[in-house]
Amino acid sequence: MKWFIIALVIASLLGSIMWVMPSPRQRYQAHLRLKARKLGIQVQLARVELPRARGETEPEVRTIPAYRIPRNNLERSERDNWTHWEVLRVETLDNAGLIEGWSWSKGQGGLSPAAVERLNAILSQLPDDVLGIESTPLSLTLYWGERGDESRLDDLQALVRPLLEQKI
């Protein structure tokens, strides 16, 4: 009986240690977020309220990692007059000018037709796990589900770089 109790205590300790250990997915996320931090990208968990999709009565709310790329190329006057916009991957009635499957959450009509055209070119290339893009005077944010390998982070940063450079 004494050996049974000792084995039970050891098994309990090992179980507790294994429970605290991060899963392979959590290790991948930690590694990816550390790489993002080294690239100057802030990563936060954001609560995103999707616009009501067609046929829905309540908007869906998701918690998703937000990769915020700081804007360092704006003058003060540009910051003061910035048009804050956000597009999300959901089909709603508020999708004027956007490609199919994307809708405005904020800032509809605030961008020039040429800027919307450049935005659509980028939206069409985004992988399926990117839920949305938000543009503020402080940063450009990608709401990303963190699927794929770590090279996807470099690909996404290169893909949205024109939005930063062209101040969209």
Side-chain angles (χ1 to χ4, degrees):
M1 183 68 173
K2 181 168 101 175
W3 290 107
F4 176 72
I5 293 174
I6 292 172
L8 186 65
V9 168
I10 290 174
S12 175
L13 288 173
L14 286 175
S16 297
I17 290 172
M18 294 304 290
W19 183 65
V20 173
M21 297 289 291
S23 69
R25 171 84 175 145
Q26 290 169 330
R27 279 190 288 254
Y28 164 73
Q29 288 174 328
H31 180 70
L32 188 65
R33 293 172 186 176
L34 181 62
K35 179 180 179 180
R37 195 173 314 133
K38 288 178 182 176
L39 293 172
I41 301 171
Q42 299 172 345
V43 182
Q44 300 172 319
L45 284 179
R47 191 170 175 264
V48 177
E49 185 173 316
L50 299 173
R52 289 183 324 161
R54 291 183 183 164
E56 288 186 353
T57 57
E58 294 292 321
E60 182 181 351
V61 177
R62 289 191 195 173
T63 301
I64 189 163
Y67 282 72
R68 301 188 192 283
I69 305 167
R71 289 189 182 274
N72 300 321
N73 62 342
L74 295 180
E75 302 294 327
R76 181 168 179 86
S77 62
E78 291 173 314
R79 278 196 180 112
D80 292 342
N81 297 318
W82 189 260
T83 301
H84 177 201
W85 57 266
E86 181 179 62
V87 293
L88 298 170
R89 191 184 296 267
V90 63
E91 190 70 38
T92 70
L93 297 176
D94 198 8
N95 58 0
L98 296 176
I99 61 174
E100 187 176 333
W102 291 88
S103 297
W104 295 101
S105 176
K106 299 174 187 158
Q108 179 188 9
L111 296 178
S112 69
V116 172
E117 187 177 316
R118 286 182 288 226
L119 176 61
N120 280 331
I122 290 170
L123 292 177
S124 66
Q125 297 175 52
L126 287 174
D128 291 339
D129 60 337
V130 174
L131 179 68
I133 301 178
E134 179 182 24
S135 179
T136 69
L138 300 176
S139 66
L140 182 74
T141 303
L142 284 173
Y143 298 110
W144 178 38
E146 300 177 322
R147 292 192 190 100
D149 59 3
E150 73 177 60
S151 68
R152 172 86 50 97
L153 179 60
D154 297 322
D155 296 342
L156 288 173
Q157 188 178 21
L159 186 62
V160 299
R161 186 170 291 125
L163 292 177
L164 291 166
E165 292 170 352
Q166 298 168 11
K167 301 178 183 181
I168 297 175

